[in-house]
Each structure stands twice: as C-alpha cells, then as structure tokens.
Amino acid sequence: DVQATIQNQINAFMADDFGKAFTYASPMIKGMFGGNPERFGAMVRNGYPMVHRPADVMFLESREVDGGFRQMVQIRDGNGNFHTLDYQVINSENGWVINGVQLIKAPSVGA
C-alpha cells in the first residue's frame, strides 16, 4: 500500500532509524546517496525537517502516473506550519518504494 510505505518511512525518520527509512527508498534514490543511509538521513533532516519531525500527517489525493503513483501529503510541522509534499512512489520487486518527493509551494495570496 502506497500510503503505508510513506507512513512507515516517516515513522522511521521520527525514530532516527535512517537505515530503516532508507529501505523505503527506490534504487535511484539509494544510488544518489551512494547506498549510505546516514547521508540520506542528513539530507532529510536538513532539507525536509517537516518530514523528519512532523506533528501531523494527512494523506490527500493520489493519482496514477506512468505505472507508478503520486501521493499528495500534508504535513504540519512542530511550529504549526503546513507543508504539502508530492511523493512519487513506484513498484519494485520488494513492493512500493519512494522515488522522489517534491515540496509544493503554497500559492501567494494578494489583495
């Protein structure tokens, strides 16, 4: 299940278990970090702190794209700010794995 894969990875980040979190990454992502879970964990801590320590996670819409899935996730961080992320998830021989995450910028509001 796509949502379970994402939630399981977030749970592993919350426990600082970067080895386990890395098991939910696709081979492409693993290759980007030289197969090193600690480097991967450092990137998440620094680049996606809301994923490392979310206060709340809500799954939004999902859609099928090119044989994989895109899952929108809304995360509330510890400061109460909301972030929307678009997860790309693909099927592998070991089940669903995360192939990328894009932070969606909130539209600017003007009067």
Side-chain angles (χ1 to χ4, degrees):
D1 174 69
V2 170
Q3 291 182 1
T5 297
I6 295 167
Q7 187 64 61
N8 289 339
Q9 186 181 59
I10 290 171
N11 292 346
F13 285 134
M14 291 174 62
D16 287 331
D17 188 345
F18 301 121
K20 183 169 179 91
F22 206 47
T23 66
Y24 298 103
S26 72
M28 181 194 76
I29 299 295
K30 289 177 180 175
M32 289 172 58
F33 293 94
N36 186 316
E38 292 304 316
R39 285 181 43 204
F40 176 66
M43 180 277 300
V44 171
R45 275 193 317 271
N46 296 321
Y48 297 88
M50 74 290 288
V51 174
H52 182 234
R53 290 289 187 263
D56 189 41
V57 176
M58 178 187 294
F59 291 95
L60 305 173
E61 70 270 3
S62 64
R63 61 207 182 283
E64 191 170 350
V65 179
D66 298 327
F69 278 90
R70 303 290 288 212
Q71 174 69 57
M72 299 292 282
V73 180
Q74 185 179 66
I75 294 179
R76 183 172 51 87
D77 66 24
N79 295 322
N81 298 312
F82 288 90
H83 307 272
T84 303
L85 296 100
D86 190 18
Y87 279 77
Q88 179 188 18
V89 184
I90 59 172
N91 206 351
S92 75
E93 62 187 30
N94 298 321
W96 294 106
V97 291
I98 298 166
N99 198 47
V101 179
Q102 180 181 8
L103 182 61
I104 307 298
K105 298 270 186 206
S108 44
V109 178

